[in-house]
Amino acid sequence: PLAEHLTVFGYVETELFVGSSAPDTDFTVKLVDVSPDGTSWNIADTIQRMRYRDGLEKQIFMKPGEIYRIAPPPMLVANVFLKGHRVRIEVSSSNFPSYARSLNTANDPYKSTEIAVARNTVVSGPGRPSKIALPVVKLPSGR
């Protein structure tokens, strides 16, 4: 739990080192405010479809066993996480219906009916520092 209020204002940057058993999948990130009673509010979210990680012009599929660095689009945030609350980051492979589902295949996701299970991994450690950067703002005392 936070010892004092935490003001976050600006773009939240995400850098992840990821892998998958599938040729294509999504990695989603949510910033969540969790109150002491467990109630949670989604503050912001973002997504990266892996076939488009290097741009929308060309589809590049993943290879099993390889690790890729991705930086999903930044999340614009203006929130005060109150004292006693927690900041939660959720990394997943789906945020349906907010974003179109991924079939986890190399097929056309809008025409294909084939669906595969993706076994996804997020790596963090030396040389692969998966991270979330919060733009914390210090307010004057008394606010």
Side-chain angles (χ1 to χ4, degrees):
L2 295 169
E4 57 185 42
H5 295 342
L6 178 70
T7 302
V8 177
F9 181 78
Y11 287 99
V12 175
E13 304 279 344
T14 305
E15 180 180 30
L16 299 175
F17 290 84
V18 298
S20 181
S21 63
D24 186 35
T25 192
D26 292 338
F27 284 91
T28 68
V29 180
K30 284 185 191 174
L31 176 65
V32 182
D33 186 342
V34 183
S35 72
D37 70 1
T39 302
S40 61
W41 296 273
N42 294 336
I43 303 302
D45 60 70
T46 189
I47 189 169
Q48 178 65 62
R49 177 141 304 170
M50 290 304 290
R51 70 172 68 197
Y52 298 120
R53 68 189 176 277
D54 291 330
L56 298 175
E57 299 77 31
K58 184 177 179 187
Q59 298 178 40
I60 303 172
F61 295 100
M62 301 174 73
K63 295 178 182 150
E66 288 198 25
I67 300 298
Y68 302 88
R69 179 201 169 275
I70 61 169
M75 299 176 276
L76 181 58
V77 173
N79 189 66
V80 177
F81 294 88
L82 300 177
K83 179 180 177 179
H85 285 222
R86 295 175 189 261
V87 177
R88 181 167 67 204
I89 303 297
E90 297 177 358
V91 178
S92 183
S93 186
S94 176
N95 191 355
F96 182 81
S98 293
Y99 298 97
R101 66 188 180 141
S102 173
L103 304 179
N104 300 318
T105 70
N107 299 334
D108 182 330
Y110 301 104
K111 295 180 181 175
S112 177
T113 57
E114 179 188 347
I115 298 173
V117 172
R119 288 173 184 78
N120 296 336
T121 304
V122 176
V123 178
S124 189
R128 295 180 174 155
S130 289
K131 60 188 172 192
I132 309 292
L134 298 177
V136 175
V137 177
K138 288 290 185 188
L139 296 178
S141 299
R143 289 188 168 211

